[in-house]
Amino acid sequence: MGKVHLVTDTVCCLPDNLVKEYDISIVPMSLTINGKPYRDQVDIGPDEFWKMFDEIKEFKTGAPALHEFTNIFSNLSKKTDDIACVFVSKALSATYEAACQARELFLRDNPGKNIEIIDSRTAAGAQGFIVLEMARAAAAGKSLKEVVSTANNMIARVKFACALETLKYLIKSGRAPKTAYLGELMHVRPIIGMVNNTGLVENLGRARGKEKSMERLVELVSEYVKPDQPLHVIVHYTNSIEDGKQLEQMVLSRFNCVEHYMTPYTPVMSGHTGPVFAVSFYV
């Protein structure tokens, strides 16, 4: 009954046109700003978030509500028996566990359906690329088992690196790598990421100033990519699309980019990081 359908969360940073093209279902993460609840990318988008950023006194995030998952499972079950879900690293969010609970509830009443839930062990566009390649496999008629195999292959390949203006937001959220605190004290821009397939945010160094930070991100990419290798890349930005464009041009001029996009962080991410620019990629 129909092809495999894909489900992910709003951390994936995929371009809207690809989400629509491959009919990918997106579960909105939950966030609370100054006591008011929102659904990421549903009740609040990047533009609205940055307009209120300087007035934020309280910022909290959480996994999507169980009904967000079960509603999607119910809708998809009308056109497929097979659903594959990929979510942000379970070391960073309770989304994976919430999805497993929702699957258990849903399958009690729908025992003929198959739902695979996968921990991406990453975030941002690195997570997005996993979802995208799974969606392409599904569109090609691959089975659920083959789509899951595609995910496992991609998880080992994708990388993500990010230059922050400050670590204070990530420290407050409890997601900062332990070895990154010194950089905050030295007033340099921390470089963090997820490059070793651990599911945890890692300290990748530091740089002074915006230009040096961008150069450092490009150098990080070069540590994993040879100049002639075909590179798939997503550049991310937060409050400055110009920073995103600048970083994108630096990457395009340096590497053989066979697929490239530029997308903003969603509010649920930006609230934890503050202003950043970042790059997600794989060969």
Side-chain angles (χ1 to χ4, degrees):
M1 180 182 172
K3 67 177 183 178
V4 177
H5 277 259
L6 274 295
V7 181
T8 190
D9 56 64
T10 48
V11 174
C12 73
C13 289
L14 279 174
D16 290 340
N17 65 306
L18 291 179
V19 171
K20 293 176 182 177
E21 179 181 351
Y22 291 100
D23 195 20
I24 299 168
S25 297
I26 307 288
V27 182
M29 303 289 279
S30 65
L31 60 155
T32 303
I33 300 175
N34 296 336
K36 182 178 179 179
Y38 297 89
R39 290 169 297 164
D40 194 39
Q41 295 288 78
V42 177
D43 304 319
I44 185 171
D47 290 342
E48 297 93 334
F49 175 82
W50 285 105
K51 287 177 182 177
M52 66 171 69
F53 182 73
D54 291 337
E55 306 303 320
I56 294 177
K57 305 300 181 184
E58 178 193 27
F59 181 85
K60 297 179 181 179
T61 61
L66 290 184
H67 73 265
E68 297 283 3
F69 297 102
T70 55
N71 286 346
I72 286 178
F73 294 160
S74 179
N75 289 333
L76 291 181
S77 69
K78 297 172 184 176
K79 51 187 175 182
T80 185
D81 289 331
D82 300 316
I83 300 170
C85 309
V86 184
F87 298 115
V88 62
S89 172
K90 66 180 181 180
L92 304 180
S93 168
T95 303
Y96 176 90
E97 285 78 8
C100 289
Q101 293 176 35
R103 175 180 62 182
E104 183 177 347
L105 290 172
F106 179 77
L107 291 181
R108 287 177 186 174
D109 299 323
N110 301 272
K113 303 300 179 179
N114 306 301
I115 302 176
E116 291 285 345
I117 298 178
I118 300 165
D119 173 16
S120 71
R121 299 206 295 273
T122 190
Q127 172 188 337
F129 272 133
I130 297 169
V131 177
L132 181 58
E133 286 307 301
M134 292 173 69
R136 286 169 171 162
K142 300 295 184 181
S143 68
L144 179 60
K145 182 179 179 180
E146 290 171 317
V147 170
V148 171
S149 178
T150 297
N152 292 329
N153 176 275
M154 287 295 295
I155 287 170
R157 296 164 64 191
V158 293
K159 312 289 182 185
F160 161 61
C162 172
L164 298 93
E165 187 175 282
T166 173
L167 262 177
K168 66 181 181 181
Y169 303 106
L170 206 61
I171 290 172
K172 188 175 181 180
S173 75
R175 291 169 172 81
K178 294 179 180 179
T179 55
Y181 289 76
L182 180 60
E184 182 70 9
L185 297 175
M186 296 174 64
H187 304 292
V188 295
R189 287 183 180 241
I191 310 293
I192 63 169
M194 304 178 81
V195 297
N196 291 313
N197 203 29
T198 64
L200 297 170
V201 176
E202 304 155 61
N203 179 26
L204 303 179
R206 57 183 71 97
R208 292 190 178 276
K210 182 172 71 174
E211 298 295 331
K212 292 294 184 182
S213 296
M214 289 188 181
E215 291 173 8
R216 179 57 187 142
L217 286 184
V218 174
E219 286 303 316
L220 275 169
V221 176
S222 71
E223 292 176 12
Y224 299 95
V225 182
K226 295 177 182 178
D228 59 337
Q229 287 183 302
L231 181 67
H232 303 253
V233 61
I234 304 177
V235 170
H236 310 295
Y237 62 93
T238 51
N239 58 332
S240 173
I241 191 172
E242 295 306 319
D243 286 348
K245 291 178 179 178
Q246 182 177 346
L247 179 58
E248 181 183 44
Q249 286 305 310
M250 292 172 69
V251 172
L252 291 176
S253 66
R254 178 79 174 267
F255 303 101
N256 175 26
C257 298
V258 295
E259 182 177 28
H260 63 91
Y261 311 102
M262 186 174 68
T263 62
Y265 267 18
T266 70
V268 78
M269 301 169 69
S270 295
H272 286 309
T273 65
V276 306
F277 39 82
V279 59
S280 298
F281 62 96
Y282 76 95
V283 173

